[in-house]
Amino acid sequence: MITSTSEYAQQVGGVLALVSAGDAEGAVPGLLALAETIDDHWSGEGRKVVNAVRDADRPFRTALLHHLASRYHEFEQSAAVRRRIVHLLDSLQGPDLVEGQPRDTRAALIRLAAEREVQYDTRQLVRLAELELAEGRDLPGEFVALVRRSHLMLWNGSGELGSLVKRLPHPVLNPGEAWSDQALADAGELGDVWQRLLAHTATATAARPSAKWDRTARSLIDAVGPETLRQRVLPWLTLVGRPRTHPLVPTYYGADPNHTLDPCNANALRGLTWLLALLPAHAETARTLGTLVDTCLKKVQGLGPRNPKVANAAVNALARMDGEAALAELARLTTRVTYKGTLKLLDAALDTRARALGLGRDEIEELAVPAYGLTDVGHARYAFADATAELRVEGSRAVLTWKNAVGKPVKSVPAAVRRDHADELKELKAAVKDIDKMLTAQSERLDRQFLARRTWSYATWRERYLDHPLVGTLARRLLWTVDGRTAGYADGALRTLTDDPVTHGTEVALWHPVDHEPAHIVAWRDWLERHGVTQPFKQAHREVYLLTDAERATGTYSNRFAAHILRQHQFHSLAAIRGWRNKLRLCVDDEAPPATRELPQWGLRAEYWIEGEGDEFGVDTTESGSYLRLRTDQVRFYPVDAPENSAHCCGGEYRMWLRDGADPVGPIPLADIPPLVLSEVLRDVDLFVGVASVGNDPAWQDGGPGGRFREYWTSYGFGELGQSAETRRALLARLIPRLAIADRCTLEGRFLQVKGELHTYRIHLGSGNILRSPNDQYLCIVPKSAAGTPQSGYLPYEGDRMLAVILSKAMMLADDSKITDPTILSQL
């Protein structure tokens, strides 16, 4: 690495001398070393080298092309030098340089080209292919894949490149992806009809299949057999998203092609989902399509969702399928999907089913939840010859246990079951995974029901909730209102606060603490604790946000959650999960509406005003230009049909867009907002801040870029507690005396104080940040991204990750003399 200007100039001069002398082989090491020095940014003095190479005579450039291509495969696939060679070759593009190259150089160039996602100089691609074909050689499948991708992705991909694509019909899929390699191998083994079937799937270039496409598909399905097709295709789809079998060279900008889907193969995937929609309904088909939606909507850095069009095709296939399993997948996905285009398709599919059955949308979502083989609420038993399997829902996950012929528990599946009941075992294990997914989805759906104004008749509620084999495991851990009386489930029956059974009723609703006196709420918290009930989310301990004096003074807006700095993409995902609509802020000259949650049942629209934070591209934004962080402002309420507000993405005043002579509509006074609505909306906003604030990041004690956020980080990370943190504090006050480290822990204001062997520590109850003695020195401990709740005995609810972080930090610091992590030790 060059460390001074003079050394850099000397290196440039040495390469220029070699180019001038026509020493192509000798110039290669110098060019690669210089590329490493300047990180492939050929500007300034480096531009002189590029110009010299381009101006050199053809024999030199031809020889340089030969030596660069020959050296490419000497390096590991992950080596940065491979990318440098690719960039150097970009300066040597041209079909004339391919002419006269020896066969081994052409082969090297073809292998090198095949490791790129796209080739921008298509002339060389065409000439390489023509020379190989003229000599009677087949082109490698990976090179054919590059030709197809370049034709598809480039605006100038027609002409000669388009003609070449038509001359290269094989392989029928692009190799290099795990699923396509398996499909090609199977088709080669099974014969010509499978080749024609795969070729037909590759023609799926529209959003939905035409009648003609379906007719051809049905004839191919008949030729191979519906069940045979299902058994072959489903394993292919389970491989989608796996690491590429033929890695591609990452580019400097945009998404890494190794984390995306081949755009040509994406058409074939869409076609495969269309084929599956024509088969008889099957639970495994629905399950696989649902997983495909999840896989294709997974976020990829620099791109967003991996491939929405394949996800949308899978949703459309589920919508066309009959049966309980397909409907269940649609309902599950509706609670999990945040990508707007796919969510719109899911909503349309469920609305269509609801209309066809003459039901409401809420009802179809309730009826869509299958039992997954559970015979009682949260329990099922299966006999396999001499062994027995027991499936039990414990909390928010399914657990499968086994007993042998004499009833003794065993840790693994008995060998006889694996041997003689492989299909049943496969379906049972799939049911466990399905239950875990559906439990998460149903918990989130129920958590959003507080604002739905939903009520049930007693009989309907018992059938769809309390006694439902799956949903019952959640409903029996919640509180309900039966004809105005609060009731919870314990000891095999629905009971009142005094444990009197509730055996009948007329109308049932989900209980919310905003409607009750504090003493009543505390009494029910005690009841849950007495019966050992852990709720699937905060209900009895749910935060209640009442109107403050400051909000009465402002009248129409709340500043309770203003002036925070949030990580934009994390906020965006959370907002979508909680039913808010939001538009990512880009650092461009454009406007965007606030984050909004529409509440049609109440005739209201809630708004959270936000703006992009910062103005330095690449520091305050991603490579694609979206802001990394947001600055927050007011929360307001408007009539649900009021014209939309918007503001510049980079900041500025919000104003209402008025069209067709419409009159402006003012915000609704907060005092006129129903307490339940106000509380739930502010709770959502508190969640956004509590999770997405940069103040929660223990590694940001330096204040982030340029130290700009140091003051905010300190004020948030160690400041006054919000409502959710106050709830956490109240719980810790009851929980700490039961901990093994109780004698080392005390609650002091905003902190949990922990006395260790080496130091005394104070853990902030809002952010989880730590100060240690002496002098309140900051201690940076970054929790694992999937930190679980430690074994601390009974907890009254699930889902508070910060509580788990605080407890895990407390337990570690109480025994600080046994800490072995070098990063933590260096701070102690």
Side-chain angles (χ1 to χ4, degrees), residues 772-786:
R772 74 163 178 84
S773 64
N775 305 322
D776 278 347
Q777 293 175 307
Y778 176 69
L779 175 61
C780 179
I781 299 178
V782 180
K784 294 181 180 179
S785 59

Side-chain angles (χ1 to χ4, degrees), residues 2 35 99 173 208 235 360 383 421 504 699 702 768 802 806:
I2 300 302
E99 304 291 345
L173 300 177
R208 287 181 174 81
H421 302 276
H504 62 277
D702 61 353
M802 184 54 69
I806 290 170

Side-chain angles (χ1 to χ4, degrees), residues 398-421:
V399 177
L400 187 63
T401 57
W402 293 87
K403 292 182 179 179
N404 60 18
V406 297
K408 182 180 178 180
V410 293
K411 292 184 178 180
S412 59
V413 181
V417 175
R418 291 197 301 268
R419 182 185 64 245
D420 301 331
H421 302 276

Side-chain angles (χ1 to χ4, degrees), residues 218 276-287 289 315-330 352-353 356-357:
R218 290 183 189 279
L276 292 175
L278 301 175
L279 301 182
H282 194 284
E284 189 178 5
T285 302
R287 182 184 305 126
L289 287 171
V315 169
N316 285 330
L318 286 168
R320 297 176 70 188
M321 293 167 57
D322 295 325
E324 179 187 78
L327 182 57
E329 279 299 318
L330 290 171
T352 299
R353 291 287 182 97
L357 296 173

